[in-house]
Each structure stands twice: as structure tokens, then as C-alpha cells.
mmCIF file with all atom_site columns, all heavy atoms in Angstrom:
data_model
loop_
_atom_site.group_PDB
_atom_site.id
_atom_site.type_symbol
_atom_site.label_atom_id
_atom_site.label_alt_id
_atom_site.label_comp_id
_atom_site.label_asym_id
_atom_site.label_entity_id
_atom_site.label_seq_id
_atom_site.pdbx_PDB_ins_code
_atom_site.Cartn_x
_atom_site.Cartn_y
_atom_site.Cartn_z
_atom_site.occupancy
_atom_site.B_iso_or_equiv
_atom_site.pdbx_formal_charge
_atom_site.auth_seq_id
_atom_site.auth_comp_id
_atom_site.auth_asym_id
_atom_site.auth_atom_id
_atom_site.pdbx_PDB_model_num
ATOM 1   N N   . THR A 1 1  ? -0.393  3.113  -14.940 1.00 91.00 ? 2  THR A N   1
ATOM 2   C CA  . THR A 1 1  ? -0.089  3.133  -13.511 1.00 91.00 ? 2  THR A CA  1
ATOM 3   C C   . THR A 1 1  ? -1.367  3.284  -12.704 1.00 91.00 ? 2  THR A C   1
ATOM 4   O O   . THR A 1 1  ? -1.560  2.620  -11.680 1.00 91.00 ? 2  THR A O   1
ATOM 5   C CB  . THR A 1 1  ? 0.881   4.276  -13.184 1.00 91.00 ? 2  THR A CB  1
ATOM 6   O OG1 . THR A 1 1  ? 2.077   4.126  -13.952 1.00 91.00 ? 2  THR A OG1 1
ATOM 7   C CG2 . THR A 1 1  ? 1.242   4.284  -11.707 1.00 91.00 ? 2  THR A CG2 1
ATOM 8   N N   . ARG A 1 2  ? -2.265  4.167  -13.171 1.00 92.00 ? 3  ARG A N   1
ATOM 9   C CA  . ARG A 1 2  ? -3.545  4.356  -12.479 1.00 92.00 ? 3  ARG A CA  1
ATOM 10  C C   . ARG A 1 2  ? -4.387  3.089  -12.540 1.00 92.00 ? 3  ARG A C   1
ATOM 11  O O   . ARG A 1 2  ? -5.063  2.735  -11.568 1.00 92.00 ? 3  ARG A O   1
ATOM 12  C CB  . ARG A 1 2  ? -4.308  5.530  -13.080 1.00 92.00 ? 3  ARG A CB  1
ATOM 13  C CG  . ARG A 1 2  ? -3.777  6.883  -12.660 1.00 92.00 ? 3  ARG A CG  1
ATOM 14  C CD  . ARG A 1 2  ? -4.766  7.993  -13.005 1.00 92.00 ? 3  ARG A CD  1
ATOM 15  N NE  . ARG A 1 2  ? -5.000  8.076  -14.449 1.00 92.00 ? 3  ARG A NE  1
ATOM 16  C CZ  . ARG A 1 2  ? -4.256  8.784  -15.282 1.00 92.00 ? 3  ARG A CZ  1
ATOM 17  N NH1 . ARG A 1 2  ? -3.213  9.472  -14.826 1.00 92.00 ? 3  ARG A NH1 1
ATOM 18  N NH2 . ARG A 1 2  ? -4.524  8.815  -16.583 1.00 92.00 ? 3  ARG A NH2 1
ATOM 19  N N   . HIS A 1 3  ? -4.341  2.388  -13.674 1.00 94.00 ? 4  HIS A N   1
ATOM 20  C CA  . HIS A 1 3  ? -5.124  1.148  -13.769 1.00 94.00 ? 4  HIS A CA  1
ATOM 21  C C   . HIS A 1 3  ? -4.684  0.150  -12.708 1.00 94.00 ? 4  HIS A C   1
ATOM 22  O O   . HIS A 1 3  ? -5.530  -0.430 -12.005 1.00 94.00 ? 4  HIS A O   1
ATOM 23  C CB  . HIS A 1 3  ? -4.973  0.518  -15.152 1.00 94.00 ? 4  HIS A CB  1
ATOM 24  C CG  . HIS A 1 3  ? -5.529  -0.878 -15.215 1.00 94.00 ? 4  HIS A CG  1
ATOM 25  N ND1 . HIS A 1 3  ? -6.880  -1.135 -15.387 1.00 94.00 ? 4  HIS A ND1 1
ATOM 26  C CD2 . HIS A 1 3  ? -4.923  -2.100 -15.076 1.00 94.00 ? 4  HIS A CD2 1
ATOM 27  C CE1 . HIS A 1 3  ? -7.082  -2.443 -15.359 1.00 94.00 ? 4  HIS A CE1 1
ATOM 28  N NE2 . HIS A 1 3  ? -5.922  -3.053 -15.170 1.00 94.00 ? 4  HIS A NE2 1
ATOM 29  N N   . LEU A 1 4  ? -3.382  -0.062 -12.582 1.00 95.00 ? 5  LEU A N   1
ATOM 30  C CA  . LEU A 1 4  ? -2.892  -1.011 -11.584 1.00 95.00 ? 5  LEU A CA  1
ATOM 31  C C   . LEU A 1 4  ? -3.272  -0.561 -10.177 1.00 95.00 ? 5  LEU A C   1
ATOM 32  O O   . LEU A 1 4  ? -3.693  -1.372 -9.342  1.00 95.00 ? 5  LEU A O   1
ATOM 33  C CB  . LEU A 1 4  ? -1.378  -1.161 -11.700 1.00 95.00 ? 5  LEU A CB  1
ATOM 34  C CG  . LEU A 1 4  ? -0.857  -1.947 -12.911 1.00 95.00 ? 5  LEU A CG  1
ATOM 35  C CD1 . LEU A 1 4  ? 0.666   -1.964 -12.901 1.00 95.00 ? 5  LEU A CD1 1
ATOM 36  C CD2 . LEU A 1 4  ? -1.400  -3.373 -12.917 1.00 95.00 ? 5  LEU A CD2 1
ATOM 37  N N   . ALA A 1 5  ? -3.130  0.737  -9.897  1.00 95.00 ? 6  ALA A N   1
ATOM 38  C CA  . ALA A 1 5  ? -3.445  1.232  -8.559  1.00 95.00 ? 6  ALA A CA  1
ATOM 39  C C   . ALA A 1 5  ? -4.924  1.057  -8.241  1.00 95.00 ? 6  ALA A C   1
ATOM 40  O O   . ALA A 1 5  ? -5.285  0.597  -7.142  1.00 95.00 ? 6  ALA A O   1
ATOM 41  C CB  . ALA A 1 5  ? -3.052  2.708  -8.448  1.00 95.00 ? 6  ALA A CB  1
ATOM 42  N N   . ARG A 1 6  ? -5.779  1.399  -9.185  1.00 95.00 ? 7  ARG A N   1
ATOM 43  C CA  . ARG A 1 6  ? -7.214  1.309  -8.932  1.00 95.00 ? 7  ARG A CA  1
ATOM 44  C C   . ARG A 1 6  ? -7.708  -0.135 -8.916  1.00 95.00 ? 7  ARG A C   1
ATOM 45  O O   . ARG A 1 6  ? -8.553  -0.498 -8.092  1.00 95.00 ? 7  ARG A O   1
ATOM 46  C CB  . ARG A 1 6  ? -7.965  2.120  -10.000 1.00 95.00 ? 7  ARG A CB  1
ATOM 47  C CG  . ARG A 1 6  ? -7.738  3.619  -9.871  1.00 95.00 ? 7  ARG A CG  1
ATOM 48  C CD  . ARG A 1 6  ? -8.299  4.394  -11.046 1.00 95.00 ? 7  ARG A CD  1
ATOM 49  N NE  . ARG A 1 6  ? -8.054  5.826  -10.886 1.00 95.00 ? 7  ARG A NE  1
ATOM 50  C CZ  . ARG A 1 6  ? -8.314  6.744  -11.818 1.00 95.00 ? 7  ARG A CZ  1
ATOM 51  N NH1 . ARG A 1 6  ? -8.839  6.365  -12.973 1.00 95.00 ? 7  ARG A NH1 1
ATOM 52  N NH2 . ARG A 1 6  ? -8.058  8.020  -11.590 1.00 95.00 ? 7  ARG A NH2 1
ATOM 53  N N   . HIS A 1 7  ? -7.172  -0.944 -9.814  1.00 96.00 ? 8  HIS A N   1
ATOM 54  C CA  . HIS A 1 7  ? -7.634  -2.320 -9.898  1.00 96.00 ? 8  HIS A CA  1
ATOM 55  C C   . HIS A 1 7  ? -7.167  -3.150 -8.708  1.00 96.00 ? 8  HIS A C   1
ATOM 56  O O   . HIS A 1 7  ? -7.920  -3.988 -8.191  1.00 96.00 ? 8  HIS A O   1
ATOM 57  C CB  . HIS A 1 7  ? -7.119  -2.950 -11.203 1.00 96.00 ? 8  HIS A CB  1
ATOM 58  C CG  . HIS A 1 7  ? -7.682  -4.308 -11.478 1.00 96.00 ? 8  HIS A CG  1
ATOM 59  N ND1 . HIS A 1 7  ? -6.992  -5.285 -12.159 1.00 96.00 ? 8  HIS A ND1 1
ATOM 60  C CD2 . HIS A 1 7  ? -8.889  -4.873 -11.153 1.00 96.00 ? 8  HIS A CD2 1
ATOM 61  C CE1 . HIS A 1 7  ? -7.734  -6.376 -12.244 1.00 96.00 ? 8  HIS A CE1 1
ATOM 62  N NE2 . HIS A 1 7  ? -8.883  -6.153 -11.652 1.00 96.00 ? 8  HIS A NE2 1
ATOM 63  N N   . LEU A 1 8  ? -5.931  -2.917 -8.251  1.00 96.00 ? 9  LEU A N   1
ATOM 64  C CA  . LEU A 1 8  ? -5.344  -3.785 -7.236  1.00 96.00 ? 9  LEU A CA  1
ATOM 65  C C   . LEU A 1 8  ? -5.319  -3.189 -5.836  1.00 96.00 ? 9  LEU A C   1
ATOM 66  O O   . LEU A 1 8  ? -5.272  -3.919 -4.856  1.00 96.00 ? 9  LEU A O   1
ATOM 67  C CB  . LEU A 1 8  ? -3.921  -4.164 -7.656  1.00 96.00 ? 9  LEU A CB  1
ATOM 68  C CG  . LEU A 1 8  ? -3.791  -4.829 -9.032  1.00 96.00 ? 9  LEU A CG  1
ATOM 69  C CD1 . LEU A 1 8  ? -2.339  -5.167 -9.319  1.00 96.00 ? 9  LEU A CD1 1
ATOM 70  C CD2 . LEU A 1 8  ? -4.675  -6.067 -9.144  1.00 96.00 ? 9  LEU A CD2 1
ATOM 71  N N   . PHE A 1 9  ? -5.342  -1.848 -5.740  1.00 96.00 ? 10 PHE A N   1
ATOM 72  C CA  . PHE A 1 9  ? -5.191  -1.218 -4.423  1.00 96.00 ? 10 PHE A CA  1
ATOM 73  C C   . PHE A 1 9  ? -6.190  -0.088 -4.173  1.00 96.00 ? 10 PHE A C   1
ATOM 74  O O   . PHE A 1 9  ? -6.025  0.670  -3.225  1.00 96.00 ? 10 PHE A O   1
ATOM 75  C CB  . PHE A 1 9  ? -3.768  -0.653 -4.278  1.00 96.00 ? 10 PHE A CB  1
ATOM 76  C CG  . PHE A 1 9  ? -2.692  -1.686 -4.371  1.00 96.00 ? 10 PHE A CG  1
ATOM 77  C CD1 . PHE A 1 9  ? -1.880  -1.768 -5.489  1.00 96.00 ? 10 PHE A CD1 1
ATOM 78  C CD2 . PHE A 1 9  ? -2.493  -2.602 -3.354  1.00 96.00 ? 10 PHE A CD2 1
ATOM 79  C CE1 . PHE A 1 9  ? -0.880  -2.721 -5.598  1.00 96.00 ? 10 PHE A CE1 1
ATOM 80  C CE2 . PHE A 1 9  ? -1.501  -3.562 -3.437  1.00 96.00 ? 10 PHE A CE2 1
ATOM 81  C CZ  . PHE A 1 9  ? -0.691  -3.626 -4.570  1.00 96.00 ? 10 PHE A CZ  1
ATOM 82  N N   . GLY A 1 10 ? -7.206  0.019  -5.004  1.00 95.00 ? 11 GLY A N   1
ATOM 83  C CA  . GLY A 1 10 ? -8.093  1.168  -4.905  1.00 95.00 ? 11 GLY A CA  1
ATOM 84  C C   . GLY A 1 10 ? -9.179  1.086  -3.856  1.00 95.00 ? 11 GLY A C   1
ATOM 85  O O   . GLY A 1 10 ? -9.874  2.065  -3.606  1.00 95.00 ? 11 GLY A O   1
ATOM 86  N N   . ASP A 1 11 ? -9.320  -0.067 -3.209  1.00 95.00 ? 12 ASP A N   1
ATOM 87  C CA  . ASP A 1 11 ? -10.397 -0.230 -2.238  1.00 95.00 ? 12 ASP A CA  1
ATOM 88  C C   . ASP A 1 11 ? -9.857  -0.198 -0.807  1.00 95.00 ? 12 ASP A C   1
ATOM 89  O O   . ASP A 1 11 ? -8.675  0.091  -0.574  1.00 95.00 ? 12 ASP A O   1
ATOM 90  C CB  . ASP A 1 11 ? -11.149 -1.539 -2.497  1.00 95.00 ? 12 ASP A CB  1
ATOM 91  C CG  . ASP A 1 11 ? -10.226 -2.754 -2.482  1.00 95.00 ? 12 ASP A CG  1
ATOM 92  O OD1 . ASP A 1 11 ? -9.033  -2.605 -2.132  1.00 95.00 ? 12 ASP A OD1 1
ATOM 93  O OD2 . ASP A 1 11 ? -10.701 -3.864 -2.826  1.00 95.00 ? 12 ASP A OD2 1
ATOM 94  N N   . ALA A 1 12 ? -10.740 -0.496 0.143   1.00 95.00 ? 13 ALA A N   1
ATOM 95  C CA  . ALA A 1 12 ? -10.332 -0.473 1.552   1.00 95.00 ? 13 ALA A CA  1
ATOM 96  C C   . ALA A 1 12 ? -9.241  -1.498 1.843   1.00 95.00 ? 13 ALA A C   1
ATOM 97  O O   . ALA A 1 12 ? -8.346  -1.253 2.653   1.00 95.00 ? 13 ALA A O   1
ATOM 98  C CB  . ALA A 1 12 ? -11.553 -0.736 2.443   1.00 95.00 ? 13 ALA A CB  1
ATOM 99  N N   . ALA A 1 13 ? -9.309  -2.655 1.169   1.00 96.00 ? 14 ALA A N   1
ATOM 100 C CA  . ALA A 1 13 ? -8.264  -3.657 1.354   1.00 96.00 ? 14 ALA A CA  1
ATOM 101 C C   . ALA A 1 13 ? -6.918  -3.138 0.867   1.00 96.00 ? 14 ALA A C   1
ATOM 102 O O   . ALA A 1 13 ? -5.874  -3.419 1.464   1.00 96.00 ? 14 ALA A O   1
ATOM 103 C CB  . ALA A 1 13 ? -8.636  -4.941 0.617   1.00 96.00 ? 14 ALA A CB  1
ATOM 104 N N   . GLY A 1 14 ? -6.935  -2.348 -0.208  1.00 96.00 ? 15 GLY A N   1
ATOM 105 C CA  . GLY A 1 14 ? -5.699  -1.758 -0.716  1.00 96.00 ? 15 GLY A CA  1
ATOM 106 C C   . GLY A 1 14 ? -5.096  -0.770 0.271   1.00 96.00 ? 15 GLY A C   1
ATOM 107 O O   . GLY A 1 14 ? -3.868  -0.721 0.449   1.00 96.00 ? 15 GLY A O   1
ATOM 108 N N   . LEU A 1 15 ? -5.953  0.007  0.909   1.00 96.00 ? 16 LEU A N   1
ATOM 109 C CA  . LEU A 1 15 ? -5.480  0.947  1.926   1.00 96.00 ? 16 LEU A CA  1
ATOM 110 C C   . LEU A 1 15 ? -4.890  0.187  3.117   1.00 96.00 ? 16 LEU A C   1
ATOM 111 O O   . LEU A 1 15 ? -3.830  0.566  3.640   1.00 96.00 ? 16 LEU A O   1
ATOM 112 C CB  . LEU A 1 15 ? -6.630  1.842  2.391   1.00 96.00 ? 16 LEU A CB  1
ATOM 113 C CG  . LEU A 1 15 ? -6.312  2.809  3.537   1.00 96.00 ? 16 LEU A CG  1
ATOM 114 C CD1 . LEU A 1 15 ? -5.171  3.750  3.150   1.00 96.00 ? 16 LEU A CD1 1
ATOM 115 C CD2 . LEU A 1 15 ? -7.564  3.607  3.921   1.00 96.00 ? 16 LEU A CD2 1
ATOM 116 N N   . ALA A 1 16 ? -5.555  -0.892 3.519   1.00 97.00 ? 17 ALA A N   1
ATOM 117 C CA  . ALA A 1 16 ? -5.044  -1.691 4.637   1.00 97.00 ? 17 ALA A CA  1
ATOM 118 C C   . ALA A 1 16 ? -3.686  -2.299 4.291   1.00 97.00 ? 17 ALA A C   1
ATOM 119 O O   . ALA A 1 16 ? -2.787  -2.362 5.134   1.00 97.00 ? 17 ALA A O   1
ATOM 120 C CB  . ALA A 1 16 ? -6.050  -2.791 4.986   1.00 97.00 ? 17 ALA A CB  1
ATOM 121 N N   . THR A 1 17 ? -3.533  -2.729 3.044   1.00 97.00 ? 18 THR A N   1
ATOM 122 C CA  . THR A 1 17 ? -2.250  -3.281 2.603   1.00 97.00 ? 18 THR A CA  1
ATOM 123 C C   . THR A 1 17 ? -1.161  -2.226 2.671   1.00 97.00 ? 18 THR A C   1
ATOM 124 O O   . THR A 1 17 ? -0.043  -2.489 3.145   1.00 97.00 ? 18 THR A O   1
ATOM 125 C CB  . THR A 1 17 ? -2.361  -3.822 1.163   1.00 97.00 ? 18 THR A CB  1
ATOM 126 O OG1 . THR A 1 17 ? -3.274  -4.921 1.142   1.00 97.00 ? 18 THR A OG1 1
ATOM 127 C CG2 . THR A 1 17 ? -1.007  -4.274 0.641   1.00 97.00 ? 18 THR A CG2 1
ATOM 128 N N   . ALA A 1 18 ? -1.466  -1.026 2.188   1.00 97.00 ? 19 ALA A N   1
ATOM 129 C CA  . ALA A 1 18 ? -0.482  0.057  2.229   1.00 97.00 ? 19 ALA A CA  1
ATOM 130 C C   . ALA A 1 18 ? -0.053  0.349  3.662   1.00 97.00 ? 19 ALA A C   1
ATOM 131 O O   . ALA A 1 18 ? 1.145   0.527  3.941   1.00 97.00 ? 19 ALA A O   1
ATOM 132 C CB  . ALA A 1 18 ? -1.074  1.315  1.576   1.00 97.00 ? 19 ALA A CB  1
ATOM 133 N N   . ARG A 1 19 ? -0.999  0.386  4.561   1.00 97.00 ? 20 ARG A N   1
ATOM 134 C CA  . ARG A 1 19 ? -0.675  0.675  5.961   1.00 97.00 ? 20 ARG A CA  1
ATOM 135 C C   . ARG A 1 19 ? 0.105   -0.469 6.612   1.00 97.00 ? 20 ARG A C   1
ATOM 136 O O   . ARG A 1 19 ? 0.956   -0.228 7.478   1.00 97.00 ? 20 ARG A O   1
ATOM 137 C CB  . ARG A 1 19 ? -1.964  0.971  6.720   1.00 97.00 ? 20 ARG A CB  1
ATOM 138 C CG  . ARG A 1 19 ? -2.565  2.321  6.318   1.00 97.00 ? 20 ARG A CG  1
ATOM 139 C CD  . ARG A 1 19 ? -3.888  2.600  6.985   1.00 97.00 ? 20 ARG A CD  1
ATOM 140 N NE  . ARG A 1 19 ? -4.330  3.962  6.680   1.00 97.00 ? 20 ARG A NE  1
ATOM 141 C CZ  . ARG A 1 19 ? -5.529  4.442  6.980   1.00 97.00 ? 20 ARG A CZ  1
ATOM 142 N NH1 . ARG A 1 19 ? -6.419  3.667  7.612   1.00 97.00 ? 20 ARG A NH1 1
ATOM 143 N NH2 . ARG A 1 19 ? -5.849  5.686  6.660   1.00 97.00 ? 20 ARG A NH2 1
ATOM 144 N N   . ARG A 1 20 ? -0.160  -1.701 6.194   1.00 98.00 ? 21 ARG A N   1
ATOM 145 C CA  . ARG A 1 20 ? 0.597   -2.832 6.739   1.00 98.00 ? 21 ARG A CA  1
ATOM 146 C C   . ARG A 1 20 ? 2.065   -2.760 6.305   1.00 98.00 ? 21 ARG A C   1
ATOM 147 O O   . ARG A 1 20 ? 2.970   -2.987 7.119   1.00 98.00 ? 21 ARG A O   1
ATOM 148 C CB  . ARG A 1 20 ? -0.032  -4.145 6.266   1.00 98.00 ? 21 ARG A CB  1
ATOM 149 C CG  . ARG A 1 20 ? 0.775   -5.372 6.645   1.00 98.00 ? 21 ARG A CG  1
ATOM 150 C CD  . ARG A 1 20 ? 0.067   -6.651 6.227   1.00 98.00 ? 21 ARG A CD  1
ATOM 151 N NE  . ARG A 1 20 ? -0.308  -6.651 4.826   1.00 98.00 ? 21 ARG A NE  1
ATOM 152 C CZ  . ARG A 1 20 ? 0.546   -6.917 3.827   1.00 98.00 ? 21 ARG A CZ  1
ATOM 153 N NH1 . ARG A 1 20 ? 1.827   -7.159 4.091   1.00 98.00 ? 21 ARG A NH1 1
ATOM 154 N NH2 . ARG A 1 20 ? 0.126   -6.931 2.586   1.00 98.00 ? 21 ARG A NH2 1
ATOM 155 N N   . ILE A 1 21 ? 2.299   -2.431 5.050   1.00 98.00 ? 22 ILE A N   1
ATOM 156 C CA  . ILE A 1 21 ? 3.682   -2.310 4.577   1.00 98.00 ? 22 ILE A CA  1
ATOM 157 C C   . ILE A 1 21 ? 4.360   -1.122 5.241   1.00 98.00 ? 22 ILE A C   1
ATOM 158 O O   . ILE A 1 21 ? 5.529   -1.199 5.650   1.00 98.00 ? 22 ILE A O   1
ATOM 159 C CB  . ILE A 1 21 ? 3.714   -2.173 3.044   1.00 98.00 ? 22 ILE A CB  1
ATOM 160 C CG1 . ILE A 1 21 ? 3.100   -3.408 2.384   1.00 98.00 ? 22 ILE A CG1 1
ATOM 161 C CG2 . ILE A 1 21 ? 5.157   -1.984 2.551   1.00 98.00 ? 22 ILE A CG2 1
ATOM 162 C CD1 . ILE A 1 21 ? 2.898   -3.280 0.879   1.00 98.00 ? 22 ILE A CD1 1
ATOM 163 N N   . ASP A 1 22 ? 3.635   -0.024 5.386   1.00 98.00 ? 23 ASP A N   1
ATOM 164 C CA  . ASP A 1 22 ? 4.199   1.146  6.061   1.00 98.00 ? 23 ASP A CA  1
ATOM 165 C C   . ASP A 1 22 ? 4.577   0.822  7.504   1.00 98.00 ? 23 ASP A C   1
ATOM 166 O O   . ASP A 1 22 ? 5.572   1.342  8.027   1.00 98.00 ? 23 ASP A O   1
ATOM 167 C CB  . ASP A 1 22 ? 3.208   2.310  6.028   1.00 98.00 ? 23 ASP A CB  1
ATOM 168 C CG  . ASP A 1 22 ? 3.215   3.049  4.702   1.00 98.00 ? 23 ASP A CG  1
ATOM 169 O OD1 . ASP A 1 22 ? 4.233   2.959  3.978   1.00 98.00 ? 23 ASP A OD1 1
ATOM 170 O OD2 . ASP A 1 22 ? 2.221   3.726  4.389   1.00 98.00 ? 23 ASP A OD2 1
ATOM 171 N N   . ALA A 1 23 ? 3.789   -0.036 8.148   1.00 98.00 ? 24 ALA A N   1
ATOM 172 C CA  . ALA A 1 23 ? 4.112   -0.415 9.525   1.00 98.00 ? 24 ALA A CA  1
ATOM 173 C C   . ALA A 1 23 ? 5.434   -1.177 9.584   1.00 98.00 ? 24 ALA A C   1
ATOM 174 O O   . ALA A 1 23 ? 6.208   -1.036 10.544  1.00 98.00 ? 24 ALA A O   1
ATOM 175 C CB  . ALA A 1 23 ? 2.982   -1.264 10.109  1.00 98.00 ? 24 ALA A CB  1
ATOM 176 N N   . GLU A 1 24 ? 5.714   -1.976 8.576   1.00 97.00 ? 25 GLU A N   1
ATOM 177 C CA  . GLU A 1 24 ? 6.999   -2.684 8.529   1.00 97.00 ? 25 GLU A CA  1
ATOM 178 C C   . GLU A 1 24 ? 8.145   -1.693 8.349   1.00 97.00 ? 25 GLU A C   1
ATOM 179 O O   . GLU A 1 24 ? 9.204   -1.839 8.959   1.00 97.00 ? 25 GLU A O   1
ATOM 180 C CB  . GLU A 1 24 ? 7.004   -3.715 7.402   1.00 97.00 ? 25 GLU A CB  1
ATOM 181 C CG  . GLU A 1 24 ? 8.271   -4.550 7.364   1.00 97.00 ? 25 GLU A CG  1
ATOM 182 C CD  . GLU A 1 24 ? 8.226   -5.677 6.348   1.00 97.00 ? 25 GLU A CD  1
ATOM 183 O OE1 . GLU A 1 24 ? 7.241   -5.758 5.588   1.00 97.00 ? 25 GLU A OE1 1
ATOM 184 O OE2 . GLU A 1 24 ? 9.186   -6.482 6.313   1.00 97.00 ? 25 GLU A OE2 1
ATOM 185 N N   . VAL A 1 25 ? 7.931   -0.685 7.512   1.00 97.00 ? 26 VAL A N   1
ATOM 186 C CA  . VAL A 1 25 ? 8.951   0.351  7.330   1.00 97.00 ? 26 VAL A CA  1
ATOM 187 C C   . VAL A 1 25 ? 9.144   1.131  8.629   1.00 97.00 ? 26 VAL A C   1
ATOM 188 O O   . VAL A 1 25 ? 10.272  1.467  9.007   1.00 97.00 ? 26 VAL A O   1
ATOM 189 C CB  . VAL A 1 25 ? 8.564   1.298  6.176   1.00 97.00 ? 26 VAL A CB  1
ATOM 190 C CG1 . VAL A 1 25 ? 9.578   2.440  6.047   1.00 97.00 ? 26 VAL A CG1 1
ATOM 191 C CG2 . VAL A 1 25 ? 8.468   0.533  4.861   1.00 97.00 ? 26 VAL A CG2 1
ATOM 192 N N   . ASP A 1 26 ? 8.057   1.404  9.323   1.00 97.00 ? 27 ASP A N   1
ATOM 193 C CA  . ASP A 1 26 ? 8.130   2.125  10.602  1.00 97.00 ? 27 ASP A CA  1
ATOM 194 C C   . ASP A 1 26 ? 9.057   1.424  11.592  1.00 97.00 ? 27 ASP A C   1
ATOM 195 O O   . ASP A 1 26 ? 9.701   2.076  12.422  1.00 97.00 ? 27 ASP A O   1
ATOM 196 C CB  . ASP A 1 26 ? 6.740   2.234  11.238  1.00 97.00 ? 27 ASP A CB  1
ATOM 197 C CG  . ASP A 1 26 ? 5.861   3.267  10.544  1.00 97.00 ? 27 ASP A CG  1
ATOM 198 O OD1 . ASP A 1 26 ? 6.394   4.061  9.740   1.00 97.00 ? 27 ASP A OD1 1
ATOM 199 O OD2 . ASP A 1 26 ? 4.648   3.271  10.806  1.00 97.00 ? 27 ASP A OD2 1
ATOM 200 N N   . ALA A 1 27 ? 9.117   0.111  11.518  1.00 97.00 ? 28 ALA A N   1
ATOM 201 C CA  . ALA A 1 27 ? 9.907   -0.664 12.473  1.00 97.00 ? 28 ALA A CA  1
ATOM 202 C C   . ALA A 1 27 ? 11.405  -0.649 12.166  1.00 97.00 ? 28 ALA A C   1
ATOM 203 O O   . ALA A 1 27 ? 12.207  -1.078 12.994  1.00 97.00 ? 28 ALA A O   1
ATOM 204 C CB  . ALA A 1 27 ? 9.407   -2.109 12.508  1.00 97.00 ? 28 ALA A CB  1
ATOM 205 N N   . LEU A 1 28 ? 11.788  -0.138 10.993  1.00 97.00 ? 29 LEU A N   1
ATOM 206 C CA  . LEU A 1 28 ? 13.205  -0.052 10.658  1.00 97.00 ? 29 LEU A CA  1
ATOM 207 C C   . LEU A 1 28 ? 13.845  1.119  11.400  1.00 97.00 ? 29 LEU A C   1
ATOM 208 O O   . LEU A 1 28 ? 13.179  2.133  11.653  1.00 97.00 ? 29 LEU A O   1
ATOM 209 C CB  . LEU A 1 28 ? 13.379  0.126  9.146   1.00 97.00 ? 29 LEU A CB  1
ATOM 210 C CG  . LEU A 1 28 ? 12.950  -1.053 8.276   1.00 97.00 ? 29 LEU A CG  1
ATOM 211 C CD1 . LEU A 1 28 ? 13.071  -0.692 6.804   1.00 97.00 ? 29 LEU A CD1 1
ATOM 212 C CD2 . LEU A 1 28 ? 13.767  -2.294 8.594   1.00 97.00 ? 29 LEU A CD2 1
ATOM 213 N N   . PRO A 1 29 ? 15.107  1.015  11.739  1.00 97.00 ? 30 PRO A N   1
ATOM 214 C CA  . PRO A 1 29 ? 15.775  2.088  12.501  1.00 97.00 ? 30 PRO A CA  1
ATOM 215 C C   . PRO A 1 29 ? 15.707  3.444  11.805  1.00 97.00 ? 30 PRO A C   1
ATOM 216 O O   . PRO A 1 29 ? 16.127  3.578  10.654  1.00 97.00 ? 30 PRO A O   1
ATOM 217 C CB  . PRO A 1 29 ? 17.229  1.602  12.592  1.00 97.00 ? 30 PRO A CB  1
ATOM 218 C CG  . PRO A 1 29 ? 17.124  0.113  12.496  1.00 97.00 ? 30 PRO A CG  1
ATOM 219 C CD  . PRO A 1 29 ? 16.002  -0.150 11.549  1.00 97.00 ? 30 PRO A CD  1
ATOM 220 N N   . GLY A 1 30 ? 15.102  4.405  12.488  1.00 98.00 ? 31 GLY A N   1
ATOM 221 C CA  . GLY A 1 30 ? 15.071  5.778  11.998  1.00 98.00 ? 31 GLY A CA  1
ATOM 222 C C   . GLY A 1 30 ? 14.036  6.094  10.959  1.00 98.00 ? 31 GLY A C   1
ATOM 223 O O   . GLY A 1 30 ? 14.024  7.213  10.410  1.00 98.00 ? 31 GLY A O   1
ATOM 224 N N   . LEU A 1 31 ? 13.106  5.181  10.656  1.00 98.00 ? 32 LEU A N   1
ATOM 225 C CA  . LEU A 1 31 ? 12.175  5.412  9.544   1.00 98.00 ? 32 LEU A CA  1
ATOM 226 C C   . LEU A 1 31 ? 10.711  5.479  9.966   1.00 98.00 ? 32 LEU A C   1
ATOM 227 O O   . LEU A 1 31 ? 9.823   5.400  9.111   1.00 98.00 ? 32 LEU A O   1
ATOM 228 C CB  . LEU A 1 31 ? 12.350  4.324  8.483   1.00 98.00 ? 32 LEU A CB  1
ATOM 229 C CG  . LEU A 1 31 ? 13.735  4.181  7.861   1.00 98.00 ? 32 LEU A CG  1
ATOM 230 C CD1 . LEU A 1 31 ? 13.689  3.204  6.696   1.00 98.00 ? 32 LEU A CD1 1
ATOM 231 C CD2 . LEU A 1 31 ? 14.286  5.521  7.407   1.00 98.00 ? 32 LEU A CD2 1
#
């Protein structure tokens, strides 16, 4: 699990991706 996280999402682009998905969740009612 750590390998996938570090290899695919461990850099600044990975953080930006996480925040982009979180923004979509933010737009759902009540979330």
C-alpha cells in the first residue's frame, strides 16, 4: 500500500490530485 502511495501520489502532483478529488466530494450535499 505504501509503495503505491509513494510511487503514484507521493509528490506535489499527488497532493494536488487528492485535493482535486476532495473538492468534488465537497460539492456533494452535506459533505
Side-chain angles (χ1 to χ4, degrees):
T2 302
R3 284 194 298 273
H4 169 82
L5 287 178
R7 292 171 180 173
H8 188 211
L9 304 181
F10 299 108
D12 56 7
L16 175 59
T18 296
R20 289 176 174 171
R21 173 177 53 80
I22 299 171
D23 280 338
E25 184 174 5
V26 176
D27 285 347
L29 294 175
L32 301 188

